[in-house]
PDB file of all heavy atoms in Angstrom:
ATOM      1  N   LEU A  42      13.215   7.034  28.410  1.00  0.00           N
ATOM      2  CA  LEU A  42      12.004   7.177  27.524  1.00  0.00           C
ATOM      3  C   LEU A  42      11.768   5.976  26.626  1.00  0.00           C
ATOM      4  O   LEU A  42      10.619   5.718  26.388  1.00  0.00           O
ATOM      5  CB  LEU A  42      12.289   8.440  26.634  1.00  0.00           C
ATOM      6  CG  LEU A  42      12.147   9.796  27.207  1.00  0.00           C
ATOM      7  CD1 LEU A  42      12.466  10.872  26.277  1.00  0.00           C
ATOM      8  CD2 LEU A  42      10.715   9.992  27.764  1.00  0.00           C
ATOM      9  N   PRO A  45       9.677   2.985  28.857  1.00  0.00           N
ATOM     10  CA  PRO A  45       8.192   3.047  28.926  1.00  0.00           C
ATOM     11  C   PRO A  45       7.559   2.873  27.555  1.00  0.00           C
ATOM     12  O   PRO A  45       6.384   2.253  27.560  1.00  0.00           O
ATOM     13  CB  PRO A  45       7.985   4.435  29.504  1.00  0.00           C
ATOM     14  CG  PRO A  45       9.285   4.692  30.202  1.00  0.00           C
ATOM     15  CD  PRO A  45      10.312   4.175  29.345  1.00  0.00           C
ATOM     16  N   LEU A  46       8.083   3.358  26.550  1.00  0.00           N
ATOM     17  CA  LEU A  46       7.447   3.210  25.220  1.00  0.00           C
ATOM     18  C   LEU A  46       7.373   1.705  24.789  1.00  0.00           C
ATOM     19  O   LEU A  46       6.443   1.232  24.253  1.00  0.00           O
ATOM     20  CB  LEU A  46       8.167   4.049  24.127  1.00  0.00           C
ATOM     21  CG  LEU A  46       7.908   5.551  24.327  1.00  0.00           C
ATOM     22  CD1 LEU A  46       8.793   6.279  23.173  1.00  0.00           C
ATOM     23  CD2 LEU A  46       6.493   5.958  24.055  1.00  0.00           C
ATOM     24  N   ALA A  49       4.644   0.106  26.881  1.00  0.00           N
ATOM     25  CA  ALA A  49       3.337   0.452  26.424  1.00  0.00           C
ATOM     26  C   ALA A  49       2.912  -0.364  25.215  1.00  0.00           C
ATOM     27  O   ALA A  49       1.812  -0.777  25.035  1.00  0.00           O
ATOM     28  CB  ALA A  49       3.309   1.948  26.067  1.00  0.00           C
ATOM     29  N   GLY A  58      -3.769 -14.765  15.002  1.00  0.00           N
ATOM     30  CA  GLY A  58      -3.337 -16.001  14.444  1.00  0.00           C
ATOM     31  C   GLY A  58      -2.965 -15.820  13.034  1.00  0.00           C
ATOM     32  O   GLY A  58      -2.901 -14.659  12.471  1.00  0.00           O
ATOM     33  N   ASP A  66      -1.507 -28.001  -7.557  1.00  0.00           N
ATOM     34  CA  ASP A  66      -2.601 -28.561  -8.373  1.00  0.00           C
ATOM     35  C   ASP A  66      -2.932 -29.972  -8.174  1.00  0.00           C
ATOM     36  O   ASP A  66      -2.225 -30.592  -7.291  1.00  0.00           O
ATOM     37  CB  ASP A  66      -2.314 -28.161  -9.858  1.00  0.00           C
ATOM     38  CG  ASP A  66      -1.142 -28.883 -10.474  1.00  0.00           C
ATOM     39  OD1 ASP A  66      -0.662 -29.879  -9.881  1.00  0.00           O
ATOM     40  OD2 ASP A  66      -0.789 -28.555 -11.590  1.00  0.00           O
ATOM     41  N   SER A  68      -1.880 -32.545  -9.688  1.00  0.00           N
ATOM     42  CA  SER A  68      -0.691 -33.382  -9.819  1.00  0.00           C
ATOM     43  C   SER A  68       0.454 -32.959  -8.843  1.00  0.00           C
ATOM     44  O   SER A  68       1.579 -33.442  -8.997  1.00  0.00           O
ATOM     45  CB  SER A  68      -0.129 -33.233 -11.251  1.00  0.00           C
ATOM     46  OG  SER A  68       0.393 -31.955 -11.442  1.00  0.00           O
ATOM     47  N   VAL A  77      -4.591 -15.716  -2.450  1.00  0.00           N
ATOM     48  CA  VAL A  77      -5.316 -16.468  -1.352  1.00  0.00           C
ATOM     49  C   VAL A  77      -6.018 -15.420  -0.537  1.00  0.00           C
ATOM     50  O   VAL A  77      -5.350 -14.434  -0.014  1.00  0.00           O
ATOM     51  CB  VAL A  77      -4.352 -17.281  -0.477  1.00  0.00           C
ATOM     52  CG1 VAL A  77      -5.029 -18.082   0.650  1.00  0.00           C
ATOM     53  CG2 VAL A  77      -3.512 -18.208  -1.334  1.00  0.00           C
ATOM     54  N   ALA A  79      -8.525 -14.695   2.747  1.00  0.00           N
ATOM     55  CA  ALA A  79      -9.187 -15.234   4.019  1.00  0.00           C
ATOM     56  C   ALA A  79     -10.280 -14.248   4.463  1.00  0.00           C
ATOM     57  O   ALA A  79      -9.932 -13.086   4.649  1.00  0.00           O
ATOM     58  CB  ALA A  79      -8.183 -15.496   5.144  1.00  0.00           C
ATOM     59  N   SER A  92       0.747 -16.393  -3.362  1.00  0.00           N
ATOM     60  CA  SER A  92       1.683 -17.502  -3.175  1.00  0.00           C
ATOM     61  C   SER A  92       3.109 -17.174  -3.797  1.00  0.00           C
ATOM     62  O   SER A  92       3.109 -16.452  -4.758  1.00  0.00           O
ATOM     63  CB  SER A  92       1.161 -18.817  -3.661  1.00  0.00           C
ATOM     64  OG  SER A  92       0.900 -18.693  -5.078  1.00  0.00           O
ATOM     65  N   THR A 107     -13.621 -17.845  12.581  1.00  0.00           N
ATOM     66  CA  THR A 107     -13.833 -18.755  11.543  1.00  0.00           C
ATOM     67  C   THR A 107     -13.772 -18.071  10.236  1.00  0.00           C
ATOM     68  O   THR A 107     -14.347 -17.034  10.046  1.00  0.00           O
ATOM     69  CB  THR A 107     -15.148 -19.493  11.684  1.00  0.00           C
ATOM     70  OG1 THR A 107     -15.180 -20.107  13.010  1.00  0.00           O
ATOM     71  CG2 THR A 107     -15.400 -20.571  10.701  1.00  0.00           C
ATOM     72  N   VAL A 119     -11.439 -22.112  -9.230  1.00  0.00           N
ATOM     73  CA  VAL A 119     -11.340 -21.484  -7.809  1.00  0.00           C
ATOM     74  C   VAL A 119     -11.479 -22.682  -6.793  1.00  0.00           C
ATOM     75  O   VAL A 119     -12.345 -23.488  -6.894  1.00  0.00           O
ATOM     76  CB  VAL A 119     -12.439 -20.354  -7.649  1.00  0.00           C
ATOM     77  CG1 VAL A 119     -12.502 -19.948  -6.242  1.00  0.00           C
ATOM     78  CG2 VAL A 119     -12.220 -19.266  -8.622  1.00  0.00           C
ATOM     79  N   ALA A 120     -10.613 -22.572  -5.793  1.00  0.00           N
ATOM     80  CA  ALA A 120     -10.672 -23.537  -4.663  1.00  0.00           C
ATOM     81  C   ALA A 120     -11.192 -22.745  -3.462  1.00  0.00           C
ATOM     82  O   ALA A 120     -10.646 -21.603  -3.259  1.00  0.00           O
ATOM     83  CB  ALA A 120      -9.392 -24.183  -4.389  1.00  0.00           C
ATOM     84  N   VAL A 125     -12.666 -22.510   8.306  1.00  0.00           N
ATOM     85  CA  VAL A 125     -11.259 -22.681   8.672  1.00  0.00           C
ATOM     86  C   VAL A 125     -11.149 -21.882  10.053  1.00  0.00           C
ATOM     87  O   VAL A 125     -11.253 -20.706  10.060  1.00  0.00           O
ATOM     88  CB  VAL A 125     -10.308 -22.102   7.616  1.00  0.00           C
ATOM     89  CG1 VAL A 125      -8.847 -22.219   8.072  1.00  0.00           C
ATOM     90  CG2 VAL A 125     -10.474 -22.919   6.387  1.00  0.00           C
ATOM     91  N   VAL A 127      -9.223 -20.109  13.168  1.00  0.00           N
ATOM     92  CA  VAL A 127      -7.928 -19.459  13.513  1.00  0.00           C
ATOM     93  C   VAL A 127      -7.987 -19.159  14.955  1.00  0.00           C
ATOM     94  O   VAL A 127      -8.981 -18.483  15.485  1.00  0.00           O
ATOM     95  CB  VAL A 127      -7.772 -18.121  12.657  1.00  0.00           C
ATOM     96  CG1 VAL A 127      -6.600 -17.423  13.215  1.00  0.00           C
ATOM     97  CG2 VAL A 127      -7.591 -18.447  11.180  1.00  0.00           C
ATOM     98  N   ALA A 128      -6.979 -19.635  15.732  1.00  0.00           N
ATOM     99  CA  ALA A 128      -6.898 -19.321  17.186  1.00  0.00           C
ATOM    100  C   ALA A 128      -5.704 -18.434  17.382  1.00  0.00           C
ATOM    101  O   ALA A 128      -4.747 -18.404  16.568  1.00  0.00           O
ATOM    102  CB  ALA A 128      -6.795 -20.690  17.892  1.00  0.00           C
TER     103      ALA A 128
END
Side-chain angles (χ1 to χ4, degrees):
L42 284 176
L46 290 175
D66 66 10
S68 68
V77 183
S92 60
T107 304
V119 173
V125 175
V127 173

